[in-house]
Amino acid sequence: MNRLQQILESGNEVFNHVPFPMMLTTKEGIVLWWSREAEKTFGYRADEVVGQFYPFIEEEKSAMHKATWDQVLRSIDPIRFEDFLLHTKQGEEVPVSAVLKSLTIDNERCVMFLFEQYNSTITNDTTGAQELASIKNGLDQTFMLTYIDEEGLIIYANDLFLKTSKWTPKRVVGKSFWQLFPPGTGEMFANTIWTSLKSNRVWQGSVEKITKDGETYWVEMTAIPVTASSNDTMYYCILEKDITEKKRLQTHLEQIAYVDPETNLMNRHRLEYIVSNFIEEKRHFSFVFLDIDKFFTLKDMHDEDSETTLLLEFAKRMKMYFQDSDIARVGVDEFVVLTPLSEWFIQGFLTYLKQHPIYIRNTAIPISISGGITRYPEDQSTFLHLMKASNATIHKVKQDGGGNIVSLSKSTHQALSRKLTIEKRLIEALHHKDLQVYYQPQLDVRSGSINTVEALVRWEDEVLGTVHPNELIPIAEESGMIHDIGTFMLEQSCKQAAIWQKEGRPLKVSINSSVREFRDHNMVKKIRQTLEKYSCPAHLLQIEITEKFALEAEAEQSIIRQMRLLQQDGVAFVLDDFGTGYASFRYMQLLPISELKIDQSFISSIMQQEKLQKLVHGMIQFGKSMSIRVLAEGVETIEQFELLKELGCDALQGYYIGHPVTSDDLEQTISSKNS
């Protein structure tokens, strides 16, 4: 048996890494070799077992049923035995399963035993052992399964793994865990997994692997450290599910989602992803937005095939000129180039297009483009800001006739950035109700008392500072948030008017509204519900509209109908900024207007210009002829005050009467004026 002993000794280094008890016997059952793990499990040292008939099996069962033993010796395939009990040197029962494989070494027939031990907590529970065996079999049939020793060498691989990876048992056992991953990023993933396992942590995730032939495949992997009762790691179990087809489908769907089908350029979604990555990496680049001038006119001059040819040829020229740059199609005739190239080179694309015209049916197409260059991070700092700045630039270029690629000034970019920041922070301010309402008093000339106040929105932001209404309102209208501001002002004004009435000081509150709000067919319902919610009488609410509102309302019966319904409830309508809008008085007949406000631009210079005095006097007389109350705003001096009283104004508003103040500070203003 010298030759056999040499083989066993040379194989010790491998076999002793296997995390299962193992032994090798003669065909008569005499132990030839006893593994280190077997010593740990059964308590017998190798010198106590080698040369003996295995003493840990009950004597009456030691023959293992001669017929079964003969079957093992004759079989060329491993044979598995489930759920039987062995005994340790101390006499404790150990529930195990075993795999027996006969083999011939140096012309001697031998049998290799590999025991799988069940957890000691169920030593006397054969039902529990059976459950564990069932779970293991289920995992074995469902997942690709490999065991790795503490040095990262593969010691076991099941049939599903072998089938997918195209390895054979003989070739894969002893291979390094890292050899199963593609070079480069795959090995980096392997290092991450190995670090988790060595830290006794489970690792889960999707990972790319390679077969024996170098083909890639994808798995959903769970890597688990398997520990003994002493918390020492015995081996690592790798469970894998093949997700290659799922990954291919995902890649295909991503391609559909991220690629423009007509030009094969990336689309807006992919562009946003790329820009976000560039920003995260703090890479400097120019965001070049290009728009084909008069594209739809060119399109109408040709058929559909010609349109496709035009787009493809334009995309081809972009790729040729902006080599090594990222190019996207973001609209029908709109494109974006991400490039580190200088501004003068980008503008050279105009000359390049003239030198390389696009031909359709042998006819050169007179194509020109409008473009905008926005730099990151010098000009703008987010994808949304880059897009909005580009749209503003293109708009300016087209207003100037098109056919040019320009960049905006630093001050213009700063203004754009502030506008976009206002939009963003306004959403938060509305959500947290950070806006404030200030009230500016209006003096009734006949009684000399204040019986009406105008509600004005004020916003003090910790980032932006003071945002004045003339800056806030246009942005709110453009972004659609004017509805939210309108709702906020309506709620606060009705609530405050109701409080003042309960305190015995009934003050009318005048709020500003936009035509957009009245295009909502539920506007009457919303106002009525708000008045009811705060028990505010309708006659304490006034709604101010502009001449632009009035002109648009004139053509929309639904708006006129809503205004009349509110008037019937007691709500009054005031025509604000009178004299600055459209020279049309038709709406004075159609709309239920009860008051005119002469704009402050007429009042500011009224003492210096006699013509202005006559004009204002005419406005006042016009209002009186229509039985409409007239108020002048922007009154800042006593001279203006006295003149407007003399001209017959019904009410006055301005800094001379009182500044906009909070509801708490308004009482002092009213007291001083009414006294």
Side-chain angles (χ1 to χ4, degrees):
M1 301 290 288
N2 289 337
R3 171 69 174 157
L4 178 58
Q5 290 300 330
Q6 289 175 3
I7 293 171
L8 289 172
E9 287 174 9
S10 63
N12 260 348
E13 287 305 312
V14 174
F15 290 133
N16 278 329
H17 283 292
V18 177
F20 302 101
M22 296 178 68
M23 71 176 181
L24 184 70
T25 73
T26 66
K27 64 181 179 180
E28 290 81 18
I30 303 300
V31 178
L32 296 171
W33 172 77
W34 186 248
S35 75
R36 196 177 299 155
E37 194 65 35
E39 289 183 357
K40 293 180 188 178
T41 303
F42 300 112
Y44 291 97
R45 300 191 311 273
D47 59 6
E48 294 178 292
V49 176
V50 174
Q52 304 292 322
F53 190 82
Y54 27 91
F56 47 86
I57 298 180
E58 296 174 15
E59 190 172 347
E60 64 272 16
K61 297 180 181 178
S62 62
M64 294 189 64
H65 306 294
K66 188 176 185 306
T68 305
W69 183 250
D70 289 342
Q71 180 188 353
V72 170
L73 292 174
R74 288 195 306 270
S75 175
I76 60 173
D77 295 319
I79 295 179
R80 186 180 187 87
F81 296 92
E82 299 283 1
D83 311 325
F84 59 93
L85 295 175
L86 300 182
H87 292 83
T88 67
K89 187 176 180 180
Q90 291 76 30
E92 297 174 351
E93 292 182 336
V94 181
V96 297
S97 293
V99 177
L100 278 63
K101 173 73 170 73
S102 65
L103 59 157
T104 301
I105 302 176
D106 205 18
N107 297 320
E108 292 288 339
R109 197 68 171 162
C110 304
V111 178
M112 179 69 79
F113 287 67
L114 185 147
F115 298 102
E116 296 180 14
Q117 177 190 4
Y118 296 119
N119 193 300
S120 59
T121 59
I122 56 171
T123 298
N124 296 313
D125 185 359
T126 55
T127 302
Q130 179 60 46
E131 287 177 359
L132 280 180
S134 299
I135 291 170
K136 183 185 179 306
N137 288 337
L139 292 173
D140 199 53
Q141 294 171 19
T142 307
F143 294 93
M144 291 182 274
L145 185 63
T146 50
Y147 296 154
I148 301 168
D149 70 11
E150 289 186 282
E151 295 180 9
L153 300 177
I154 296 168
I155 55 177
Y156 171 77
N158 73 348
D159 290 340
L160 283 178
F161 175 83
L162 297 173
K163 181 180 178 182
T164 302
S165 67
K166 300 181 181 177
W167 284 97
T168 61
K170 183 178 179 181
R171 294 289 186 185
V172 80
V173 172
K175 290 289 182 188
S176 164
F177 172 65
W178 285 264
Q179 289 179 263
L180 305 180
F181 296 84
T185 55
E187 290 175 346
M188 290 170 57
F189 257 104
N191 286 333
T192 303
I193 298 165
W194 188 248
T195 300
S196 292
L197 292 174
K198 294 299 283 185
S199 302
N200 211 27
R201 298 195 310 269
V202 174
W203 187 91
Q204 268 188 310
S206 301
V207 63
E208 185 181 17
K209 299 185 72 178
I210 54 170
T211 67
K212 175 179 174 290
D213 302 328
E215 297 175 0
T216 61
Y217 65 101
W218 284 83
V219 296
E220 191 70 39
M221 176 189 290
T222 302
I224 307 168
V226 180
T227 57
S229 56
S230 60
N231 285 330
D232 293 330
T233 301
M234 296 193 301
Y235 61 99
Y236 305 107
C237 176
I238 312 294
L239 295 165
E240 297 172 321
K241 198 78 174 174
D242 189 347
I243 58 167
T244 305
E245 287 304 316
K246 178 183 175 183
K247 199 73 178 177
R248 285 174 182 162
L249 177 60
Q250 180 184 340
T251 302
H252 179 63
L253 291 175
E254 284 178 357
Q255 186 175 15
I256 293 172
Y258 292 142
V259 176
D260 173 57
E262 278 191 281
T263 61
N264 278 327
L265 299 172
M266 62 180 176
N267 63 14
R268 181 187 171 119
H269 301 296
R270 182 65 178 172
L271 174 70
E272 185 171 358
Y273 175 79
I274 296 292
V275 169
S276 298
N277 283 347
F278 281 6
I279 291 173
E280 190 174 330
E281 295 167 6
K282 302 189 184 308
R283 289 173 59 175
H284 288 241
F285 62 91
S286 288
F287 188 93
V288 186
F289 196 102
L290 302 174
D291 187 327
I292 300 176
D293 294 331
K294 303 178 180 63
F295 175 77
F296 290 99
T297 302
L298 292 172
K299 178 181 172 182
D300 288 342
M301 292 169 60
H302 303 279
D303 56 29
E304 190 173 327
D305 291 338
S306 299
E307 176 194 340
T308 302
T309 301
L310 174 62
L311 290 170
L312 287 173
E313 289 298 319
F314 183 72
K316 187 187 297 183
R317 281 154 181 75
M318 290 179 71
K319 290 176 186 176
M320 289 293 294
Y321 189 80
F322 296 105
Q323 294 182 28
D324 301 321
S325 298
D326 294 290
I327 305 173
R329 183 186 182 196
V330 296
V332 176
D333 60 337
E334 297 168 334
F335 302 83
V336 169
V337 181
L338 304 179
T339 181
L341 298 169
S342 61
E343 187 168 320
W344 67 265
F345 185 88
I346 295 167
Q347 291 170 333
F349 184 55
L350 296 168
T351 305
Y352 180 83
L353 277 179
K354 291 177 181 177
Q355 294 171 345
H356 300 82
I358 296 173
Y359 288 89
I360 295 179
R361 296 189 179 90
N362 299 320
T363 302
I365 304 300
I367 187 171
S368 72
I369 56 172
S370 296
I373 304 170
T374 309
R375 297 167 301 166
Y376 173 87
E378 295 88 345
D379 296 333
Q380 301 295 339
S381 57
T382 69
F383 176 77
L384 179 63
H385 286 194
L386 289 164
M387 286 292 290
K388 293 217 171 189
S390 296
N391 286 328
T393 311
I394 294 293
H395 180 69
K396 181 179 183 303
V397 172
K398 286 188 176 290
Q399 277 187 326
D400 294 340
N404 201 3
I405 301 175
V406 305
S407 56
L408 296 178
S409 66
K410 186 175 182 179
S411 60
T412 305
H413 273 296
Q414 288 173 343
L416 273 172
S417 295
R418 178 173 171 83
K419 177 184 174 185
L420 295 169
T421 304
I422 287 173
E423 284 184 15
K424 179 182 176 181
R425 294 197 61 81
L426 180 56
I427 294 172
E428 297 177 19
L430 287 165
H431 177 70
H432 296 295
K433 299 190 183 324
D434 288 339
L435 300 180
Q436 291 180 290
V437 182
Y438 276 51
Y439 300 92
Q440 186 170 24
Q442 298 175 354
L443 181 74
D444 181 76
V445 173
R446 180 174 296 179
S447 66
S449 62
I450 292 170
N451 53 26
T452 306
V453 294
E454 181 181 2
L456 301 166
V457 64
R458 288 291 183 271
W459 183 21
E460 282 289 335
D461 183 75
E462 59 182 15
V463 173
L464 296 162
T466 302
V467 183
H468 294 285
N470 58 355
E471 182 181 27
L472 173 63
I473 299 304
I475 293 173
E477 286 183 337
E478 185 181 327
S479 63
M481 284 184 277
I482 192 66
H483 295 279
D484 300 297
I485 292 178
T487 300
F488 172 80
M489 294 298 291
L490 175 66
E491 291 254 348
Q492 296 301 312
S493 299
C494 290
K495 180 180 178 180
Q496 188 59 55
I499 291 172
W500 283 328
Q501 187 194 42
K502 287 178 183 177
E503 293 174 349
R505 294 179 300 168
L507 286 172
K508 293 181 181 181
V509 180
S510 190
I511 64 171
N512 292 276
S513 188
S514 70
V515 72
R516 284 191 179 191
E517 292 177 273
F518 269 84
R519 287 200 172 104
D520 180 356
H521 296 297
N522 292 315
M523 188 63 176
V524 170
K525 181 180 178 181
K526 182 170 82 170
I527 291 174
R528 285 174 173 172
Q529 287 177 341
T530 305
L531 290 168
E532 184 179 351
K533 177 180 177 181
Y534 295 106
S535 301
C536 177
H539 73 273
L540 294 182
L541 179 66
Q542 293 187 166
I543 297 176
E544 297 192 16
I545 64 173
T546 63
E547 286 189 298
K548 182 184 177 184
F549 178 124
L551 190 68
E552 292 185 39
E554 178 188 329
E556 298 186 41
Q557 285 298 318
S558 62
I559 294 178
I560 297 174
R561 184 165 54 252
Q562 290 198 88
M563 291 176 70
R564 286 176 176 168
L565 286 171
L566 289 171
Q567 183 195 39
Q568 291 169 13
D569 291 345
V571 177
F573 285 90
V574 178
L575 186 62
D576 194 10
D577 301 335
F578 182 66
T580 63
Y582 301 90
S584 169
F585 292 132
R586 175 178 160 78
Y587 54 73
M588 300 294 295
Q589 296 174 298
L590 298 174
L591 304 183
I593 295 170
S594 59
E595 182 175 301
L596 300 178
K597 284 182 79 171
I598 300 174
D599 187 71
Q600 60 185 344
S601 60
F602 296 103
I603 307 304
S604 60
S605 302
I606 194 170
M607 302 307 299
Q608 289 78 37
Q609 298 183 38
E610 187 178 345
K611 282 187 178 180
L612 267 182
Q613 295 178 18
K614 292 180 179 179
L615 180 59
V616 169
H617 183 253
M619 291 179 179
I620 295 169
Q621 293 305 311
F622 170 75
K624 291 184 179 298
S625 69
M626 300 280 292
S627 301
I628 294 175
R629 192 166 180 262
V630 180
L631 177 147
E633 62 179 348
V635 181
E636 297 186 356
T637 66
I638 188 170
E639 291 82 11
Q640 293 171 345
F641 176 82
E642 295 295 343
L643 176 61
L644 290 165
K645 277 178 63 177
E646 185 182 328
L647 293 176
C649 248
D650 298 300
L652 302 171
Q653 179 181 343
Y655 289 168
Y656 180 75
I657 309 301
H659 288 258
V661 292
T662 64
S663 57
D664 293 336
D665 295 333
L666 185 66
E667 184 176 352
Q668 184 178 351
T669 302
I670 292 175
S671 298
S672 64
K673 290 295 177 184
N674 288 348
S675 60

